[in-house]
């Protein structure tokens, strides 16, 4: 059993019999940044999995707008991105009735606990974060490296800990941040007494890593220099077909799932597998040539994104705002209690 509070134990780990009812579903928390338009990598890597987890988890999903400010943004840019990603999540089946779906800045407890978590996070720990090293040195980071970019993992820990989270489904690139969240939760608990549930990491099995169609050694991302490599959720049928037709493969002409030797072909198989809930190695046996694999993958992707596009068009700004208001109220009700617990544990004078 992991160290820490067992108020919300996982059913499949050693359960403290005096705690919550065994029928309690594990709580899942995840966050998504509102930066830029969504692409197939976001959908297959995260959103699809979020949608599924709602069925057997107590799900809390957050648009992490405060995190987006760690890199310089134009005024209003984050607002537009927040509306876009929230609409996309609703269109993809995130159900604001069943789940807690909200915007980070609407629940001030995140910023508050984020500060407390900075006090139990070591400078040295933050200095080892590879994402910080990458983002602070990358060209085009406009030369300005904010202190928030450095302390961001402490805010991420707060996001997770505020909801007594058991499971955090994120991609492999977030593994280090998750480990840090676990470490600082454990440190807080041992310094101030049992306060936080120590979360687990969970990497979704399929589609966790969708690569760029032109540069299959890089993760698919919203990228200016590879417009053909990124399939956007709003792409037309023609664009999707063209991008898959032009996807980079290799010259040996054999369809086989082997990420090292055949990154391009393996990426197509992985995308097809993730969209059809199949296994990439099994799928490979169905193909002898790249052409049909590309065509089938494009079709499978279209069968996912076209209905989402239709749904998107039917969701108004008001619908989005209404759903998020309900979510913020539900989120606050949980987060404020946990924040109080943390303040009490630290022992600050409380306002009368
Ligand atoms: N750091 C995550 C990312 O860049 C987003 C994020 C913020 C997050 N807070 C979180 C993910 C809490 C999971 C849990 O993708």
């Amino acid at each position: 059993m992991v160290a820490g509070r067992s108020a919300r134990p996982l059913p499949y780990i050693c359960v403290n019999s005096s705690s919550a009812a065994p029928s309690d579903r594990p709580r899942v928390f995840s966050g998504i940044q509102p930066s830029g338009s969504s692409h197939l990598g976001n959908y297959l890597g995260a959103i699809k999995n979020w949608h599924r987890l709602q069925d057997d988890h107590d799900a809390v999903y957050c648009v992490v707008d405060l995190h987006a400010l760690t890199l310089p943004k134009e005024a209003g840019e984050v607002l537009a991105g927040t509306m876009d990603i929230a609409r996309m999540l609703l269109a993809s089946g995130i159900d604001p009735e069943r789940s807690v779906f909200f915007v980070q800045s609407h629940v001030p407890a995140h910023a508050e606990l984020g500060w407390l978590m900075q006090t139990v996070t070591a400078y040295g720990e933050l200095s080892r974060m590879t994402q910080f090293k990458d983002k602070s040195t990358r060209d085009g980071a406009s030369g300005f490296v904010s202190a928030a970019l450095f302390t961001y993992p402490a805010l991420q820990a707060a996001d997770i800990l505020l909801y007594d989270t058991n499971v955090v489904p994120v991609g492999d690139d977030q593994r280090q941040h998750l480990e840090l969240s676990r470490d600082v939760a454990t440190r807080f608990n041992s310094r101030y007494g049992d306060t936080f549930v120590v979360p687990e990491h969970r990497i979704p099995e399929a589609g966790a890593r969708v690569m760029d169609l032109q540069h299959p050694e890089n993760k698919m991302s919203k990228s200016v220099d590879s417009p053909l490599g990124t399939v956007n959720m709003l792409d037309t049928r023609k664009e999707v077909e063209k991008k898959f037709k032009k996807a980079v493969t290799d010259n040996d002409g054999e369809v086989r799932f082997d990420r090292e030797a055949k990154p391009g072909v393996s990426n197509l198989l992985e995308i097809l597998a993730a969209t059809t809930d199949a296994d990439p190695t099994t799928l490979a046996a169905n193909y002898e040539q790249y052409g049909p694999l590309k065509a089938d993958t494009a079709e499978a992707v279209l069968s996912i994104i076209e209905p989402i596009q239709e749904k998107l068009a039917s969701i108004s700004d008001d619908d989005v705002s209404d759903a998020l208001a309900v979510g913020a109220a539900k989120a606050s009700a949980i987060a404020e209690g946990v924040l109080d617990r943390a303040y009490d544990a630290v022992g600050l004078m409380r306002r009368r």
Side-chain angles (χ1 to χ4, degrees), residues 29-33 64 67 131 152 156 159-160 168 170 173-174 177-178:
F29 181 97
S30 200
I32 193 164
Q33 294 219 27
V64 290
H67 282 283
Q131 195 178 68
Y152 158 123
Q156 180 162 351
D159 297 339
I160 296 164
V168 185
V170 283
D173 62 327
Q174 293 296 315
H177 290 161
L178 244 297

Side-chain angles (χ1 to χ4, degrees), residues 218-236:
N218 301 333
K219 228 177 125 168
M220 185 178 285
S221 70
K222 186 196 147 221
S223 156
V224 257
D225 31 37
S226 182
L228 267 181
T230 305
V231 177
N232 294 306
M233 293 301 284
L234 297 177
D235 278 352
T236 62

